[in-house]
Amino acid sequence: AEPLKDGADAAFVNAQTVLAELNAAWAQVDAVLGPAEAREEREKSLDGALHVLQQAASEAADRSLRLSAEAADVQSAEGALKRARSVELAAQNETNALREKIAGLNAEIRTRSDDAVEEMHREAVEALSAAEAREAAFAAEVATLQRLSGALEAARSDARELYLRPVITELRPLLRLLFDDISIVFDEKTLLPHRILRNGQDEEVDRLSGGMREQLSVLTRLAFARLLAKDSRPTPVILDDALVYSDDDRIEKMFDALHRQA
């Protein structure tokens, strides 16, 4: 019985300890809840406060989601920040370099302040004015010479055309003896046949066959001789193996041309 009594005593002590703890907890709960007659009103107040807090929490959650969606990407923001910092560093370096350059220029200005820079500038302005005047004079002279050159060129072309027109007139019937449709263009410098227009084709004389070149050469000389003869200045035309490249048909026509001019 004594062991049972000891166990019961220990259980009783434990029960008292638990009871004391429960009483203390109850006292705390009772202190939090307040008086019994005001608990219902306090409960309603706490319910209202809870509703307000829940609504605020819901709004805060919605705002958090919206801000999260609108927030910039962290990596992009870090990249932009890094670039902005590099730009700032470059600007600082350029600013420092410009300050050093300004300091150097100021020192150079102070050094040259006693070198009569204004007098040198005035002399340079005067020299520039004189050079511009000379340039204007040269420009006027160039314009005059260009106009004179154009007039001389036009006069030379007119004179050349006046000179060659009678030759072409004398040469045209001779050409018709050999060719059905051909015209000759004379070189403006050498006054020799340069190009021919035959059957709508433009050809250089140097590219013609040897026979055709010698035929044109003989006919041109005959035209000049005919022109001089009409001007009472007969001039002989001496031919030595001049038609060695002509074919039989063409050489017969060339004989006709020679007899006609003779």
Side-chain angles (χ1 to χ4, degrees):
E2 286 182 355
L4 292 175
K5 180 179 178 300
D6 292 336
D9 291 339
F12 181 73
V13 172
N14 289 334
Q16 285 183 334
T17 302
V18 173
L19 179 61
E21 292 176 355
L22 291 175
N23 289 332
W26 175 258
Q28 291 178 357
V29 172
D30 191 57
V32 171
L33 294 177
E37 60 275 7
R39 288 179 182 177
E40 185 177 358
E41 186 67 26
R42 181 175 175 79
E43 182 180 3
K44 293 179 180 179
S45 176
L46 291 175
D47 287 339
L50 176 62
H51 179 71
V52 173
L53 293 175
Q54 287 177 344
Q55 185 177 0
S58 178
E59 293 177 355
D62 294 339
R63 183 181 180 189
S64 175
L65 292 175
R66 186 172 63 255
L67 292 177
S68 298
E70 296 176 356
D73 184 32
V74 176
Q75 294 181 352
S76 300
E78 289 178 351
L81 176 60
K82 185 181 296 184
R83 184 178 60 83
R85 287 177 177 174
S86 64
V87 172
E88 181 184 8
L89 180 60
Q92 291 178 354
N93 294 334
E94 185 176 1
T95 301
N96 295 332
L98 291 176
R99 287 176 179 172
E100 294 178 0
K101 186 175 181 180
I102 290 173
L105 292 175
N106 289 331
E108 186 176 357
I109 291 173
R110 287 193 296 271
T111 303
R112 295 189 177 184
S113 59
D114 298 332
D115 293 344
V117 177
E118 295 182 356
E119 288 77 2
M120 294 173 60
H121 177 265
R122 189 161 46 250
E123 292 176 359
V125 170
E126 294 175 355
L128 175 62
S129 178
E132 289 177 347
R134 292 181 60 194
E135 189 271 339
F138 287 148
E141 184 177 358
V142 167
T144 302
L145 293 176
Q146 288 177 344
R147 185 171 182 180
L148 178 60
S149 176
L152 291 176
E153 185 67 26
R156 184 172 64 177
S157 298
D158 294 340
R160 186 184 302 114
E161 183 178 356
L162 182 63
Y163 172 74
L164 289 176
R165 188 182 299 116
V167 177
I168 295 175
T169 302
E170 293 293 335
L171 184 58
R172 190 175 294 115
L174 297 177
L175 291 175
R176 282 200 293 265
L177 293 175
L178 275 76
F179 309 103
D180 295 334
D181 182 15
I182 188 172
S183 60
I184 298 180
V185 178
F186 288 84
D187 186 81
E188 294 184 354
K189 295 182 179 179
T190 63
L191 300 180
L192 295 177
H194 177 58
R195 308 178 70 86
I196 67 169
L197 183 62
R198 180 175 55 171
N199 298 325
Q201 299 293 327
D202 191 11
E203 302 178 66
E204 293 184 2
V205 172
D206 294 339
R207 297 195 176 189
L208 300 176
S209 64
M212 193 169 186
R213 286 201 304 269
E214 68 181 8
Q215 294 158 20
L216 291 177
S217 176
V218 171
L219 294 179
T220 302
R221 284 160 173 78
L222 293 178
F224 272 102
R226 183 77 170 185
L227 184 64
L228 293 173
K230 287 183 176 181
D231 196 28
S232 301
R233 291 183 295 170
T235 302
V237 178
I238 301 175
L239 303 177
D240 181 18
D241 290 339
L243 301 173
V244 296
Y245 294 107
S246 298
D247 55 36
D248 293 341
D249 184 41
R250 288 285 176 82
I251 202 168
E252 289 290 339
K253 295 180 179 179
M254 286 298 297
F255 290 158
D256 293 340
L258 289 171
H259 280 81
R260 169 178 175 156
Q261 293 303 88

